[in-house]
Protein backbone atom coordinates (compact mmCIF):
# COMPACT_ATOMS: atom_id res chain seq x y z
CA UNK A 1 0.00 0.00 0.00
CA UNK A 2 1.14 3.50 -0.81
CA UNK A 3 0.73 5.97 2.07
CA UNK A 4 0.41 9.76 2.06
CA UNK A 5 4.01 9.83 3.37
CA UNK A 6 5.21 7.78 0.39
CA UNK A 7 3.59 10.27 -1.97
CA UNK A 8 5.08 13.32 -0.25
CA UNK A 9 8.51 11.67 -0.14
CA UNK A 10 8.27 10.90 -3.86
CA UNK A 11 7.15 14.47 -4.59
CA UNK A 12 10.04 15.91 -2.58
CA UNK A 13 12.51 13.69 -4.43
CA UNK A 14 11.13 14.81 -7.80
CA UNK A 15 11.25 18.47 -6.75
CA UNK A 16 14.88 18.00 -5.73
CA UNK A 17 15.75 16.72 -9.22
CA UNK A 18 15.83 12.97 -8.50
CA UNK A 19 14.23 10.22 -10.60
CA UNK A 20 11.13 8.46 -9.26
CA UNK A 21 9.36 5.57 -10.98
CA UNK A 22 5.59 5.56 -10.59
CA UNK A 23 2.66 3.50 -11.82
CA UNK A 24 0.22 4.69 -14.46
CA UNK A 25 -2.65 2.73 -16.02
CA UNK A 26 -0.50 2.04 -19.12
CA UNK A 27 3.04 1.24 -17.95
CA UNK A 28 5.35 2.39 -15.15
CA UNK A 29 6.90 5.77 -15.87
CA UNK A 30 10.40 6.96 -15.05
CA UNK A 31 9.55 10.40 -13.69
CA UNK A 32 11.57 13.60 -13.50
CA UNK A 33 10.62 17.21 -12.84
CA UNK A 34 9.82 18.51 -16.35
CA UNK A 35 11.05 22.03 -15.63
CA UNK A 36 14.50 20.88 -14.48
CA UNK A 37 17.03 20.42 -17.32
CA UNK A 38 19.38 18.33 -15.20
CA UNK A 39 16.63 16.04 -13.96
CA UNK A 40 15.43 15.52 -17.54
CA UNK A 41 18.97 14.74 -18.68
CA UNK A 42 19.19 12.10 -15.94
CA UNK A 43 16.27 10.25 -17.57
CA UNK A 44 18.20 9.78 -20.83
CA UNK A 45 21.25 8.78 -18.86
CA UNK A 46 19.34 6.22 -16.74
CA UNK A 47 17.58 4.72 -19.77
CA UNK A 48 20.75 4.65 -21.83
CA UNK A 49 18.85 6.22 -24.72
CA UNK A 50 20.98 6.64 -27.83
CA UNK A 51 18.96 9.72 -28.83
CA UNK A 52 16.99 12.43 -27.05
CA UNK A 53 13.49 11.20 -27.85
CA UNK A 54 10.96 13.82 -26.83
CA UNK A 55 9.15 12.96 -23.58
CA UNK A 56 5.55 13.17 -22.40
CA UNK A 57 4.69 15.78 -19.77
CA UNK A 58 2.27 14.35 -17.21
CA UNK A 59 -0.17 16.65 -15.42
CA UNK A 60 -3.06 15.98 -13.00
CA UNK A 61 -5.82 17.76 -14.92
CA UNK A 62 -6.90 19.52 -18.10
CA UNK A 63 -6.28 22.99 -16.63
CA UNK A 64 -2.62 22.18 -15.98
CA UNK A 65 -2.36 20.88 -19.56
CA UNK A 66 -3.78 24.12 -21.00
CA UNK A 67 -1.03 26.07 -19.25
CA UNK A 68 1.62 24.19 -21.26
CA UNK A 69 0.37 24.17 -24.83
CA UNK A 70 -2.20 25.43 -27.28
CA UNK A 71 -5.23 23.16 -27.70
CA UNK A 72 -7.24 23.40 -30.91
CA UNK A 73 -10.99 22.73 -30.75
CA UNK A 74 -10.43 19.08 -31.73
CA UNK A 75 -7.61 18.62 -29.22
CA UNK A 76 -9.89 20.04 -26.55
CA UNK A 77 -12.60 17.62 -27.55
CA UNK A 78 -10.30 14.62 -27.03
CA UNK A 79 -8.93 15.99 -23.77
CA UNK A 80 -12.42 16.51 -22.37
CA UNK A 81 -13.58 13.08 -23.49
CA UNK A 82 -10.60 10.84 -22.71
CA UNK A 83 -8.58 12.42 -19.87
CA UNK A 84 -7.65 11.07 -17.45
CA UNK A 85 -6.73 8.13 -19.67
CA UNK A 86 -4.24 6.38 -21.98
CA UNK A 87 -4.09 9.18 -24.53
CA UNK A 88 -1.23 11.60 -25.21
CA UNK A 89 -1.85 14.80 -27.17
CA UNK A 90 0.93 16.59 -29.06
CA UNK A 91 0.26 20.33 -29.33
CA UNK A 92 2.31 23.48 -29.97
CA UNK A 93 3.99 24.57 -26.74
CA UNK A 94 3.29 28.08 -25.51
CA UNK A 95 6.33 30.36 -25.67
CA UNK A 96 5.85 30.75 -21.91
CA UNK A 97 5.91 26.97 -21.34
CA UNK A 98 8.32 26.16 -18.51
CA UNK A 99 9.01 22.56 -19.56
CA UNK A 100 12.69 21.90 -20.33
CA UNK A 101 13.52 22.22 -24.03
CA UNK A 102 15.46 18.98 -23.64
CA UNK A 103 12.19 17.22 -22.72
CA UNK A 104 10.67 18.19 -26.06
CA UNK A 105 14.05 17.50 -27.70
CA UNK A 106 14.20 21.06 -29.00
CA UNK A 107 10.86 20.73 -30.82
CA UNK A 108 8.33 23.59 -30.73
CA UNK A 109 5.70 21.07 -29.63
CA UNK A 110 4.89 19.19 -26.45
CA UNK A 111 3.34 15.80 -25.71
CA UNK A 112 0.94 15.99 -22.74
CA UNK A 113 -1.05 13.37 -20.84
CA UNK A 114 -3.32 13.12 -17.79
CA UNK A 115 -2.92 9.53 -16.57
CA UNK A 116 -5.77 7.58 -15.03
CA UNK A 117 -4.17 6.12 -11.94
CA UNK A 118 -4.87 7.22 -8.37
CA UNK A 119 -1.19 7.11 -7.30
CA UNK A 120 0.01 8.94 -10.40
CA UNK A 121 -2.61 11.66 -9.95
CA UNK A 122 -1.86 12.09 -6.24
CA UNK A 123 1.83 12.34 -7.03
CA UNK A 124 1.29 14.91 -9.79
CA UNK A 125 -0.91 17.03 -7.50
CA UNK A 126 1.70 16.86 -4.75
CA UNK A 127 4.48 17.94 -7.13
CA UNK A 128 2.41 20.80 -8.54
CA UNK A 129 4.53 20.95 -11.70
CA UNK A 130 4.59 18.79 -14.86
CA UNK A 131 6.49 15.50 -14.60
CA UNK A 132 8.08 13.96 -17.69
CA UNK A 133 8.04 10.18 -17.77
CA UNK A 134 9.06 7.75 -20.47
CA UNK A 135 8.39 4.08 -19.82
CA UNK A 136 10.67 3.01 -16.94
CA UNK A 137 12.77 0.50 -18.87
CA UNK A 138 16.31 0.61 -20.23
CA UNK A 139 16.29 1.76 -23.86
CA UNK A 140 15.33 -1.00 -26.28
CA UNK A 141 13.90 -3.27 -23.58
CA UNK A 142 10.32 -4.24 -22.82
CA UNK A 143 8.15 -1.68 -21.04
CA UNK A 144 7.55 -2.38 -17.33
CA UNK A 145 4.08 -3.14 -16.04
CA UNK A 146 5.06 -3.98 -12.45
CA UNK A 147 7.32 -2.31 -9.88
CA UNK A 148 9.54 -5.41 -9.98
CA UNK A 149 10.11 -4.93 -13.73
CA UNK A 150 11.36 -1.43 -12.95
CA UNK A 151 13.70 -2.62 -10.20
CA UNK A 152 15.04 -5.41 -12.43
CA UNK A 153 15.66 -3.05 -15.34
CA UNK A 154 16.78 0.19 -13.74
CA UNK A 155 17.73 -0.86 -10.21
CA UNK A 156 19.80 1.79 -8.46
CA UNK A 157 19.36 4.31 -11.28
CA UNK A 158 16.08 5.42 -9.72
CA UNK A 159 15.78 6.98 -6.24
CA UNK A 160 12.38 5.47 -5.49
CA UNK A 161 9.88 3.10 -7.10
CA UNK A 162 6.27 3.65 -6.03
CA UNK A 163 4.67 0.20 -6.12
CA UNK A 164 1.08 0.42 -7.33
CA UNK A 165 0.73 -3.19 -8.43
CA UNK A 166 0.30 -4.29 -12.03
CA UNK A 167 -0.72 -1.76 -14.68
CA UNK A 168 -4.23 -2.35 -15.96
CA UNK A 169 -3.73 -1.24 -19.59
CA UNK A 170 -0.21 -2.61 -20.06
CA UNK A 171 0.65 -0.85 -23.31
CA UNK A 172 1.72 2.76 -23.70
CA UNK A 173 -0.73 5.57 -24.38
CA UNK A 174 -2.01 6.34 -27.85
CA UNK A 175 -0.20 9.43 -29.20
CA UNK A 176 -2.20 11.87 -31.34
CA UNK A 177 -0.67 15.01 -32.83
CA UNK A 178 -2.52 18.24 -33.57
CA UNK A 179 0.37 20.03 -35.24
CA UNK A 180 -1.02 19.70 -38.75
CA UNK A 181 -4.53 20.92 -38.07
CA UNK A 182 -6.31 17.58 -38.30
CA UNK A 183 -5.52 14.89 -35.78
CA UNK A 184 -2.69 12.52 -36.72
CA UNK A 185 -2.01 9.16 -35.08
CA UNK A 186 1.68 8.99 -34.14
CA UNK A 187 1.58 5.84 -31.99
CA UNK A 188 -1.22 3.33 -31.54
CA UNK A 189 -1.65 2.51 -27.87
CA UNK A 190 -3.97 1.97 -24.94
CA UNK A 191 -6.86 3.98 -26.36
CA UNK A 192 -8.37 2.49 -29.52
CA UNK A 193 -8.25 4.46 -32.75
CA UNK A 194 -11.97 3.82 -33.29
CA UNK A 195 -12.90 5.57 -30.04
CA UNK A 196 -10.85 8.61 -31.03
CA UNK A 197 -12.26 8.73 -34.56
CA UNK A 198 -15.77 8.44 -33.18
CA UNK A 199 -15.20 11.40 -30.86
CA UNK A 200 -13.67 13.50 -33.64
CA UNK A 201 -16.14 12.53 -36.35
CA UNK A 202 -13.34 11.90 -38.87
CA UNK A 203 -10.55 9.41 -39.57
CA UNK A 204 -7.12 9.95 -38.05
CA UNK A 205 -4.32 10.74 -40.48
CA UNK A 206 -1.34 8.39 -40.30
CA UNK A 207 1.78 9.88 -38.83
CA UNK A 208 5.24 8.65 -38.08
CA UNK A 209 5.38 6.30 -35.12
CA UNK A 210 8.34 8.21 -33.84
CA UNK A 211 9.40 11.67 -34.98
CA UNK A 212 13.02 10.67 -34.49
CA UNK A 213 12.74 8.37 -37.51
CA UNK A 214 12.07 11.28 -39.79
CA UNK A 215 15.56 12.71 -40.28
CA UNK A 216 14.48 15.49 -42.65
CA UNK A 217 11.90 16.76 -40.20
CA UNK A 218 14.26 16.48 -37.28
CA UNK A 219 17.14 18.15 -39.03
CA UNK A 220 15.13 21.27 -39.72
CA UNK A 221 13.67 21.30 -36.21
CA UNK A 222 16.99 20.96 -34.49
CA UNK A 223 18.81 23.41 -36.67
CA UNK A 224 19.52 26.91 -35.38
CA UNK A 225 19.41 29.80 -37.84
CA UNK A 226 23.15 30.10 -37.69
CA UNK A 227 25.43 27.69 -39.53
CA UNK A 228 27.30 25.24 -37.32
CA UNK A 229 30.90 24.09 -37.08
CA UNK A 230 31.61 21.09 -34.89
CA UNK A 231 34.70 19.83 -33.03
CA UNK A 232 36.04 23.38 -32.88
CA UNK A 233 38.63 24.09 -30.22
CA UNK A 234 38.43 27.87 -30.71
CA UNK A 235 36.08 30.36 -32.37
CA UNK A 236 37.30 32.03 -35.56
CA UNK A 237 36.01 35.01 -37.57
CA UNK A 238 33.42 36.18 -35.07
CA UNK A 239 31.75 32.82 -34.58
CA UNK A 240 29.67 32.36 -31.44
CA UNK A 241 31.25 29.58 -29.39
CA UNK A 242 29.61 26.80 -27.45
CA UNK A 243 32.18 25.31 -25.14
CA UNK A 244 32.62 22.07 -23.24
CA UNK A 245 35.14 21.17 -20.55
CA UNK A 246 38.34 23.19 -20.89
CA UNK A 247 37.18 24.80 -24.16
CA UNK A 248 35.14 27.98 -23.87
CA UNK A 249 34.12 30.21 -20.99
CA UNK A 250 30.94 32.22 -21.43
CA UNK A 251 28.76 29.50 -22.97
CA UNK A 252 30.01 26.19 -21.70
CA UNK A 253 27.82 23.05 -21.74
CA UNK A 254 29.74 21.76 -18.74
CA UNK A 255 33.00 23.27 -17.59
CA UNK A 256 33.64 20.13 -15.51
CA UNK A 257 33.23 17.96 -18.61
CA UNK A 258 30.07 16.23 -17.36
CA UNK A 259 28.00 14.95 -20.31
CA UNK A 260 24.79 14.75 -18.25
CA UNK A 261 25.10 18.44 -17.38
CA UNK A 262 25.97 19.15 -21.02
CA UNK A 263 22.81 17.42 -22.25
CA UNK A 264 20.77 19.47 -19.79
CA UNK A 265 22.20 22.69 -21.21
CA UNK A 266 22.37 21.77 -24.92
CA UNK A 267 19.09 23.02 -26.39
CA UNK A 268 18.82 26.04 -24.11
CA UNK A 269 22.34 27.25 -24.90
CA UNK A 270 21.90 26.66 -28.63
CA UNK A 271 18.78 28.83 -28.47
CA UNK A 272 20.61 31.51 -26.51
CA UNK A 273 23.56 31.58 -28.91
CA UNK A 274 21.27 31.60 -31.94
CA UNK A 275 19.44 34.61 -30.49
CA UNK A 276 22.72 36.53 -30.74
CA UNK A 277 22.35 36.07 -34.52
CA UNK A 278 25.91 35.01 -35.28
CA UNK A 279 26.69 33.82 -38.79
CA UNK A 280 27.99 30.59 -37.37
CA UNK A 281 28.08 28.72 -34.08
CA UNK A 282 31.24 26.75 -33.37
CA UNK A 283 30.95 23.89 -30.90
CA UNK A 284 33.69 22.31 -28.81
CA UNK A 285 34.45 18.59 -29.19
CA UNK A 286 32.12 16.46 -27.04
CA UNK A 287 33.38 13.00 -26.05
CA UNK A 288 31.36 10.00 -27.31
CA UNK A 289 30.77 8.63 -23.82
CA UNK A 290 27.38 8.25 -22.15
CA UNK A 291 25.02 11.01 -23.23
CA UNK A 292 27.86 12.39 -25.37
CA UNK A 293 26.64 10.12 -28.15
CA UNK A 294 23.16 11.67 -28.14
CA UNK A 295 24.62 15.17 -27.91
CA UNK A 296 26.85 14.52 -30.93
CA UNK A 297 23.89 13.03 -32.81
CA UNK A 298 21.86 16.21 -32.24
CA UNK A 299 24.79 18.47 -33.11
CA UNK A 300 25.40 16.54 -36.33
CA UNK A 301 21.76 17.03 -37.33
CA UNK A 302 21.92 20.71 -36.46
CA UNK A 303 25.06 21.08 -38.58
CA UNK A 304 23.67 19.13 -41.56
CA UNK A 305 23.53 21.05 -44.85
CA UNK A 306 20.13 22.66 -45.39
O1 LIG B 1 1.80 5.37 -21.63
C1 LIG B 1 2.72 6.18 -21.82
O2 LIG B 1 2.64 7.05 -22.67
C2 LIG B 1 3.96 6.05 -20.92
C3 LIG B 1 3.52 6.38 -19.50
C4 LIG B 1 4.67 6.39 -18.52
O3 LIG B 1 2.84 7.62 -19.46
N1 LIG B 1 5.02 6.87 -21.39
C5 LIG B 1 5.67 6.63 -22.57
O4 LIG B 1 6.69 7.53 -22.86
O5 LIG B 1 5.39 5.71 -23.32
P1 LIG B 1 7.80 7.26 -23.99
O6 LIG B 1 8.82 8.33 -23.78
O7 LIG B 1 8.28 5.86 -23.94
O8 LIG B 1 7.06 7.55 -25.34
C6 LIG B 1 6.74 8.88 -25.73
C7 LIG B 1 6.23 8.90 -27.15
C8 LIG B 1 7.36 8.64 -28.15
O9 LIG B 1 6.87 7.85 -29.22
C9 LIG B 1 7.70 10.04 -28.62
O10 LIG B 1 8.28 10.06 -29.90
C10 LIG B 1 6.33 10.73 -28.59
O11 LIG B 1 5.72 10.20 -27.44
N2 LIG B 1 6.47 12.19 -28.44
C11 LIG B 1 6.81 12.87 -27.32
N3 LIG B 1 6.87 14.18 -27.55
C12 LIG B 1 6.56 14.36 -28.85
C13 LIG B 1 6.47 15.50 -29.71
N4 LIG B 1 6.70 16.73 -29.27
N5 LIG B 1 6.13 15.29 -30.99
C14 LIG B 1 5.88 14.04 -31.45
N6 LIG B 1 5.96 12.92 -30.69
C15 LIG B 1 6.29 13.07 -29.42
MG1 LIG C 1 9.04 3.61 -24.19
Amino acid sequence: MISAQDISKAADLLLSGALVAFPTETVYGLGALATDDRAVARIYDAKGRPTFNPLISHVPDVEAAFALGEFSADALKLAARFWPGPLTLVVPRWSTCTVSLLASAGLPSLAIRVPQHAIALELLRAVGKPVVAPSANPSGRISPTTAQHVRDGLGDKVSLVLDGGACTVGVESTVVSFLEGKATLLRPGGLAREAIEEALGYKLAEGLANVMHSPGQMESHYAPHAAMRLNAEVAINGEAYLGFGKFGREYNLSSSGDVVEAAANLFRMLHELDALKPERIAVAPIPMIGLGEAINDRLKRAAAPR
Side-chain angles (χ1 to χ4, degrees), residues 24 26-29 49 54-56 58 88 90 104 107 109-111 113 133-135 171-173 175 179 186-187 209-211:
T24 80
T26 58
V27 299
Y28 274 73
R49 273 199 172 169
L55 303 172
I56 299 169
H58 296 70
T88 293
V90 177
S104 39
L107 297 167
S109 58
L110 196 67
R113 169 165 123 80
S135 49
V171 295
E172 286 93 340
S173 60
V175 181
L179 300 180
L186 296 186
R187 177 178 77 179
N210 188 332
V211 285

Side-chain angles (χ1 to χ4, degrees), residues 170-192:
V171 295
E172 286 93 340
S173 60
T174 303
V175 181
V176 175
S177 166
F178 282 93
L179 300 180
E180 268 114 62
K182 295 245 157 157
T184 303
L185 181 68
L186 296 186
R187 177 178 77 179
L191 181 65

